[in-house]
Amino acid sequence: METIGKLTGASRTFDKKHIILTFEVDGVSRQLIDSIKTEDRLRIKVVKYREKRSLDANAYAWVLMTKISDVVSSSKEEIYEEMLQRYGTCYEDENGFVTITVKKSVDMSKIEGHWKLCGGNDKFNSYLMIKGSSEYDTAEMSRFIDHIVQEAQELGIETATPDELERMKQEWGV
């Protein structure tokens, strides 16, 4: 079951070993709740709500990156990685940006994820971890596409008009 709601209460059990959370969800969830309420154990995941971006946003980004790759004789995957390097959003946690430091000899293409060199010395390099665009919220995706549009225009590639881009952004919730 996945739904959108709001945490409306938290209390402790009498033995103070557990916490009881209360959520307010829309009435559409009632059937789903009825189907699981007799289960002894459930896996529960609560995350902060973020507006999902439109699939059209991702499709438009890939159309532009494919056109760029044709002009510069590169693969669309290489262009995607280049756009992430230039304009991508880095992962952050409560302690700041997520980074790793590795020996200079390490081939970062063999380490899963997207990595941006952010420093180093004669023995080690430090890298920021970059989110893939599929993890972007609408605001992050909008900024990412704005930069891709600018890159495409600089190469003489026709892009959506400013009005069309604004309309798409409104649909994406930005």
Side-chain angles (χ1 to χ4, degrees), residues 131-144:
K131 290 181 184 180
S133 63
S134 63
E135 300 174 81
Y136 288 177
D137 62 24
T138 51
E140 292 167 334
M141 192 64 175
S142 178
R143 283 191 302 275
F144 189 59

Side-chain angles (χ1 to χ4, degrees), residues 2 7 13-14 39 41 44 52 64 74 76 88 96 103-104 109 112 117 119 122 136 143 147 150 160:
E2 184 172 325
L7 179 65
T13 57
F14 286 122
E39 298 295 326
R41 292 175 57 103
I44 300 169
K52 289 192 176 188
L64 290 178
S74 186
K76 63 185 177 187
K103 290 181 183 177
K104 262 198 185 300
S109 68
E112 189 175 333
L117 181 65
D122 49 327
Y136 288 177
R143 283 191 302 275
H147 288 293
Q150 184 178 3

Side-chain angles (χ1 to χ4, degrees), residues 79-159:
I79 297 301
Y80 172 65
E81 190 62 39
E82 190 175 322
M83 295 298 110
L84 287 177
Q85 292 289 319
R86 290 184 191 169
Y87 311 117
T89 301
C90 295
Y91 280 102
E92 281 188 81
D93 63 16
E94 62 278 354
N95 298 314
F97 290 113
V98 175
T99 62
I100 63 169
T101 300
V102 296
K103 290 181 183 177
K104 262 198 185 300
S105 61
V106 172
D107 179 359
M108 290 303 290
S109 68
K110 300 204 185 307
I111 298 177
E112 189 175 333
H114 305 282
W115 302 97
K116 181 176 183 172
L117 181 65
C118 63
N121 58 36
D122 49 327
K123 292 184 180 185
F124 298 96
N125 281 332
S126 295
Y127 294 86
L128 289 163
M129 187 175 194
I130 306 170
K131 290 181 184 180
S133 63
S134 63
E135 300 174 81
Y136 288 177
D137 62 24
T138 51
E140 292 167 334
M141 192 64 175
S142 178
R143 283 191 302 275
F144 189 59
I145 288 175
D146 283 345
H147 288 293
I148 295 171
V149 166
Q150 184 178 3
E151 293 265 348
Q153 289 171 342
E154 288 172 5
L155 292 169
I157 296 168
E158 189 175 326
T159 63

Side-chain angles (χ1 to χ4, degrees), residues 10-27:
S11 59
R12 291 203 173 268
T13 57
F14 286 122
D15 62 8
K16 302 211 186 287
K17 291 182 181 178
H18 300 92
I19 297 174
I20 300 169
L21 299 176
T22 306
F23 292 91
E24 179 181 313
V25 297
D26 62 30

Side-chain angles (χ1 to χ4, degrees), residues 153 159-171:
Q153 289 171 342
T159 63
T161 67
D163 287 344
E164 290 171 319
L165 286 169
E166 189 57 37
R167 180 190 52 77
M168 284 188 256
K169 286 181 185 179
Q170 292 301 322
E171 289 175 5

